[in-house]
Amino acid sequence: MNPVYEPVSKNEAFSSYRPVRQTSSNSSNFSPHLTSAAPARRRARPSRVVLHWLSHILSLLWIAPIGTLLWLNLSKHVIGASVWCPGHNCNAEGNSDNAIQRANKFDSQDHNVNGALQFVAKALEVWFFFVAASLIYDMGTMFAKKGRGLPVGYLLAHLEFGDIRYIVNPLLWKSPLPNRQGVPENRGRIIKLYLFACITAMLTILANLMGPATAVLVLPTLQWIDTPRIMYETFNHTAASQQPYGDHLFPGCSAEQLRNGNYSCTADTYGPSLDEWAAHNIAMTKQATNSGDGALILGSSQEAALAFTINSTAGADTVWVPSRQVLRNMSHEFLKLRGAFVESDEPEYPERVFNNSLQTILQQQGPSLGVYLGFHTGNVSDYDLPDGRWVRCYTGWKLNYENEEEYVKCFRLGLGSEDRENYAEFFLGNFNETDKDSTRTGVGAYFADRAAFYNEKEDFGSGLIDCLITNNPDGSGEACDWDKVFSTEWPADFRNTTINVGVTSYGVPGVDYKTARVWCEHVIYQAFPTYSVDTSPRSNSQNLVMLNNLPKILQDTVPLVMNPAWLLTAWSVDYEGDLDSERQIVKVLSRVLPKTYEKGLAASEGIEFFLLHFYALGQALSMVNHYSYGIPEDPNSKSAKAADKDKEHPIFRAYATIHVWAYSLSGRTSKLGVAVVSLGAIAVIARFLIGLTTTYQERSTVQVLTAAFEHRHQGEFEGLEEENHLAKVRYRVMEDEEGKQRFVPGKRTSRWSNATSP
């Protein structure tokens, strides 16, 4: 069979082609008629050059929206209360009467805008498909015009790469290998073809990931964003170990009153709050016992414009109490922030930016005191020490409420009633004038630097059994080596209540009033949590403050020293004074104390007593103030960074957390999206750089098929039947003088070697 087309000369493969007329009706007699000369090399048409550069510029422009998305996410750009918030002016008006209507409006806008952004993500994906296909075509054309050309298996790679299955297509990975019937290929050429295969596979993966990657970056999400953290003070020390003092420590109290122990000056402000807790205690216990579910909801107390409750974490032995000093400072910022939600054009509200949030949480770091509590009933006995101090021992101590074994616990106290650093006492005004001693309820508060345990079976090597039971006929305890007793190494379970222990002892009126006691012990710890308050009256109508980032107390943590006078300020009673019998807390205590001693702490009266003392101690801890000093002038200075690492004297910061629509890289999927689009951007730049040195015109599928149909093979497919062998056949893809695509067999010596390259 004769070829349909033949070149005019061997030296110019595609110079000119002319079909030969048939001289007979038999097609087998068809033969070529050659032209006599070849025309000059054809120049590229201007329209082709324009299309070439438009294609590359369009590809490069893909980086513009992608760069914008990366900037939005990397800079954590905040939009506002709605996705559609032009000019950052979408006032949520969380405190207004139409807040729900505005929320519904924003929700509808968010739905529509997010739907539109989905189309944007799809457009960016399609755009990248165009770029990736062009890049594969350009690289394939570069291989096709050099050396032995491009394997048949790669001729349509720019059309097939979009299918994710293409990366597992055997032809992709076998085509670079030399065909067993072909001319041997050098190793460098094979490596380059495998590089082409790897890049094509990578672009296949990128193209299939680009849709979700751009969707992750283009769609904003509702996030909690922290505003800049502003330093406001550096912690110095807590005043827990000192007597309450200062002109402005409590409203209505002067420094002289506090110095003289006249703590009843706090009654006007804080007396009602403790009585309110007592009243709540009655209602809570009645609800819990009568409803049968046993739920206890702790009451709250107010300080300035904020309220707080005692934070008790499930499973934790330590409960934490907010500082009223911190709450007073925080209340000022809270009211200032509440003012920001007033619809006004006045410039005195710089916090109006918070109007663009769906919710705002005001946060402030500060100190807090935590307490570990124990409650017991028993009898008391005292022993004098040679140095003027004394030891008070109580029966009825248990390691925990599940443990049936009881111990006697002894506390080393100060110098008696004259030592106001370690001793405080007051009375409930519920006594009978005719029998004052037996009907008067005394409450003593003590600080003990050391404590010890013993019972008839075990004293842990302290010697208390010998000196208080075996060799103590007169009950004086003179046989005890108290220094040895209080330096004993106690078991780990006992150790956390043997150093710096506070004791509160309630006398029980009646026959055994001299020794009968309901007594409580506590140890105090310090932490620096974050105070948080939701500023919305709809979600936080009580302005309740919560404590976050509370620590877990380690077993060897040394408790703080606490002056018992703080309990007097909590009760609003003078040193050795009488509480007014008309106060709610006095009435409740007078009722539950005898029953608690008689029935134990498991009785309903025992639960009421537990909560009353719990509230009174919480009131005392909340009133403890702290001292601070200035902040570093330069937050980035070495001294500021060193202060940040000082766990004993931390720098406190205040900030707000706002709930807004925003961009960020907070999740793993968004970080994966950044990686995908970054690699896509590299591919776009690579395509543009290739375009600077070439003017390849991408051929359509029809043009490729036409060139394939016009080509007559010269034996390169002979003996090849399997697909993977056919795919290895190499062709150089050239253009003739008319600009048509032609396939030239990729042999080292060929009569097509001087053909024109595209």
Side-chain angles (χ1 to χ4, degrees):
M1 180 178 178
N2 296 317
V4 179
Y5 295 94
E6 274 197 359
V8 171
S9 68
K10 294 181 179 180
N11 294 329
E12 297 192 10
F14 297 120
S15 300
S16 179
Y17 291 84
R18 180 184 299 173
V20 179
R21 300 181 183 276
Q22 295 185 1
T23 58
S24 68
S25 59
N26 192 341
S27 59
S28 61
N29 295 327
F30 182 79
S31 60
H33 180 76
L34 304 179
T35 59
S36 60
R41 180 186 176 100
R42 183 180 60 86
R43 293 185 179 182
R45 293 191 300 270
S47 59
R48 174 176 170 178
V49 176
V50 172
L51 290 175
H52 169 82
W53 284 109
L54 283 178
S55 171
H56 284 78
I57 292 173
L58 181 62
S59 299
L60 190 63
L61 287 176
W62 185 83
I63 295 179
I66 293 301
T68 302
L69 290 179
L70 289 176
W71 174 80
L72 290 173
N73 284 273
L74 291 172
S75 64
K76 298 181 179 180
H77 178 71
V78 175
I79 301 173
S82 173
V83 180
W84 179 248
C85 192
H88 295 279
N89 186 22
C90 45
N91 193 336
E93 297 181 11
N95 298 345
S96 64
D97 295 333
N98 65 340
I100 296 178
Q101 290 82 352
R102 290 187 66 82
N104 290 333
K105 176 184 175 182
F106 287 155
D107 184 67
S108 177
Q109 290 178 349
D110 297 340
H111 179 77
N112 293 331
V113 175
N114 280 330
L117 291 177
Q118 292 275 13
F119 286 97
V120 173
K122 187 62 180 178
L124 291 173
E125 178 190 12
V126 173
W127 194 348
F128 181 76
F129 260 86
F130 163 76
V131 176
S134 299
L135 176 59
I136 294 174
Y137 181 86
D138 289 346
M139 290 191 302
T141 304
M142 290 177 63
F143 279 99
K145 77 167 189 174
K146 296 179 180 179
R148 292 183 55 209
L150 193 68
V152 171
Y154 291 162
L155 289 178
L156 299 179
H158 63 291
L159 301 178
E160 297 179 292
F161 85 102
D163 187 348
I164 191 64
R165 294 174 297 178
Y166 187 61
I167 62 175
V168 295
N169 188 339
L171 300 184
L172 178 65
W173 306 107
K174 292 183 178 181
S175 294
L177 298 175
N179 201 324
R180 59 186 179 181
Q181 293 189 15
V183 179
E185 185 64 86
N186 64 67
R187 184 174 298 177
R189 183 68 176 179
I190 295 176
I191 293 175
K192 291 179 181 180
L193 287 174
Y194 267 116
L195 179 62
F196 173 83
C198 291
I199 294 175
T200 302
M202 184 191 72
L203 290 173
T204 299
I205 296 173
L206 285 180
N208 283 274
L209 291 178
M210 193 58 66
T214 53
V216 167
L217 297 179
V218 80
L219 292 173
T221 56
L222 268 175
Q223 303 176 33
W224 290 100
I225 303 294
D226 290 344
T227 61
R229 303 191 176 203
I230 302 173
M231 297 186 296
Y232 70 93
E233 68 177 10
T234 303
F235 180 78
N236 190 353
H237 69 277
T238 180
S241 63
Q242 306 170 11
Q243 181 181 350
Y245 179 77
D247 279 325
H248 305 290
L249 188 57
F250 307 117
C253 293
S254 65
E256 184 178 359
Q257 287 176 307
L258 296 177
R259 186 187 304 112
N260 295 330
N262 298 326
Y263 303 116
S264 59
C265 63
T266 65
D268 187 52
T269 302
Y270 296 111
S273 66
L274 190 58
D275 289 335
E276 181 185 15
W277 259 333
H280 174 82
N281 183 44
I282 298 174
M284 177 179 59
T285 52
K286 293 297 182 183
Q287 283 283 340
T289 54
N290 295 337
S291 64
D293 58 9
L296 298 176
I297 301 176
L298 298 179
S300 61
S301 182
Q302 183 174 344
E303 182 63 38
L306 301 175
F308 71 94
T309 188
I310 299 173
N311 280 36
S312 180
T313 305
D317 295 328
T318 306
V319 293
W320 296 91
V321 184
S323 165
R324 291 183 181 271
Q325 180 181 352
V326 175
L327 294 179
R328 285 192 292 270
N329 295 335
M330 197 173 185
S331 176
H332 174 73
E333 296 299 324
F334 174 80
L335 293 175
K336 187 178 178 183
L337 191 58
R338 274 284 179 89
F341 296 118
V342 177
E343 190 62 32
S344 172
D345 294 329
E346 297 297 325
E348 60 262 28
Y349 297 115
E351 294 85 359
R352 281 177 54 85
V353 64
F354 298 119
N355 269 331
N356 284 333
S357 67
L358 294 172
Q359 194 173 3
T360 300
I361 307 295
L362 185 63
Q363 310 222 53
Q364 184 169 317
Q365 297 168 331
S368 172
L369 296 180
V371 59
Y372 173 83
L373 293 158
F375 296 83
H376 316 279
T377 60
N379 293 284
V380 63
S381 56
D382 294 335
Y383 305 96
D384 294 329
L385 299 182
D387 59 1
R389 291 182 295 175
W390 53 300
V391 175
R392 169 159 283 192
C393 296
Y394 292 91
T395 62
W397 188 87
K398 294 181 180 180
L399 179 61
N400 51 58
Y401 296 117
E402 290 78 22
N403 195 323
E404 296 296 329
E405 189 171 8
E406 291 190 355
Y407 293 84
V408 177
K409 188 167 185 177
C410 298
F411 301 92
R412 184 169 66 184
L413 305 176
L415 300 175
S417 60
E418 299 302 320
D419 183 8
R420 292 197 175 187
E421 293 295 323
N422 300 292
Y423 171 82
E425 187 177 25
F426 65 94
F427 301 91
L428 304 184
N430 60 343
F431 54 85
N432 188 335
E433 288 289 350
T434 60
D435 191 8
K436 185 174 182 179
D437 290 339
S438 64
T439 60
R440 195 182 195 194
T441 302
V443 182
Y446 316 94
F447 167 75
D449 64 339
R450 291 289 188 275
F453 310 84
Y454 78 95
N455 60 18
E456 294 180 353
K457 301 177 183 179
E458 180 65 72
D459 63 4
F460 306 101
S462 64
L464 283 172
I465 292 178
D466 290 338
C467 68
L468 291 182
I469 298 178
T470 307
N471 301 315
N472 189 31
D474 57 356
S476 64
E478 292 183 356
C480 293
D481 183 353
W482 292 106
D483 289 333
K484 175 186 175 184
V485 167
F486 290 110
S487 61
T488 301
E489 186 69 25
W490 305 101
D493 292 342
F494 293 72
R495 197 179 305 146
N496 64 335
T497 59
T498 59
I499 301 176
N500 296 343
V501 185
V503 182
T504 307
S505 178
Y506 295 84
V508 181
V511 178
D512 299 326
Y513 71 92
K514 291 184 178 180
T515 61
R517 297 291 185 271
V518 177
W519 62 283
C520 313
E521 60 178 342
H522 60 264
V523 289
I524 306 300
Y525 300 100
Q526 181 173 262
F528 306 105
T530 300
Y531 291 66
S532 302
V533 57
D534 184 353
T535 59
S536 171
R538 295 185 178 274
S539 55
N540 186 19
S541 60
Q542 301 298 316
N543 299 347
L544 191 64
V545 175
M546 301 300 294
L547 298 182
N548 299 315
N549 304 322
L550 291 168
K552 181 179 179 181
I553 300 300
L554 301 178
Q555 194 171 54
D556 295 330
T557 303
V558 178
L560 297 180
V561 174
M562 183 172 178
N563 193 308
W566 289 104
L567 285 169
L568 301 182
T569 63
W571 288 87
S572 301
V573 61
D574 295 337
Y575 188 83
E576 296 186 339
D578 291 318
L579 272 175
D580 187 350
S581 60
E582 295 301 315
R583 286 188 58 178
Q584 182 68 35
I585 195 166
V586 175
K587 294 179 180 180
V588 178
L589 271 176
S590 300
R591 174 174 58 84
V592 302
L593 262 175
K595 295 294 184 181
T596 300
Y597 181 78
E598 177 185 346
K599 299 180 181 180
L601 292 168
S604 60
E605 292 85 0
I607 296 174
E608 286 189 71
F609 169 78
F610 165 82
L611 292 170
L612 283 173
H613 178 74
F614 181 68
Y615 286 135
L617 184 57
Q619 175 92 311
L621 296 180
S622 72
M623 300 173 79
V624 175
N625 64 306
H626 67 275
Y627 297 94
S628 60
Y629 47 86
I631 60 175
E633 294 184 3
D634 182 6
N636 298 318
S637 64
K638 292 184 179 179
S639 59
K641 293 179 180 179
D644 266 339
K645 298 178 181 179
D646 188 349
K647 296 182 179 180
E648 299 296 327
H649 304 90
I651 298 176
F652 296 144
R653 290 172 169 82
Y655 58 99
T657 302
I658 55 177
H659 199 206
V660 291
W661 287 95
Y663 290 96
S664 74
L665 300 178
S666 57
R668 294 180 180 177
T669 53
S670 56
K671 293 175 182 176
L672 177 61
V674 169
V676 171
V677 300
S678 298
L679 292 174
I682 294 175
V684 170
I685 295 173
R687 203 249 163 162
F688 182 76
L689 293 177
I690 292 176
L692 293 177
T693 58
T694 62
T695 56
Y696 303 142
Q697 179 185 3
E698 187 171 341
R699 301 293 181 171
S700 68
T701 306
V702 173
Q703 291 174 310
V704 174
L705 290 175
T706 301
F709 290 147
E710 290 181 341
H711 172 72
R712 179 182 179 185
H713 76 85
Q714 300 176 13
E716 58 267 24
F717 293 108
E718 291 180 3
L720 304 178
E721 296 181 359
E722 295 183 11
E723 185 181 27
N724 62 332
H725 292 158
L726 295 171
K728 297 175 183 178
V729 176
R730 311 289 174 81
Y731 277 97
R732 295 181 66 188
V733 182
M734 319 295 279
E735 287 184 356
D736 63 15
E737 290 298 333
E738 296 179 0
K740 293 182 178 181
Q741 194 174 47
R742 301 296 181 189
F743 291 103
V744 180
K747 296 180 180 180
R748 294 188 183 277
T749 304
S750 171
R751 63 190 183 117
W752 313 101
S753 58
N754 293 326
T756 304
S757 299

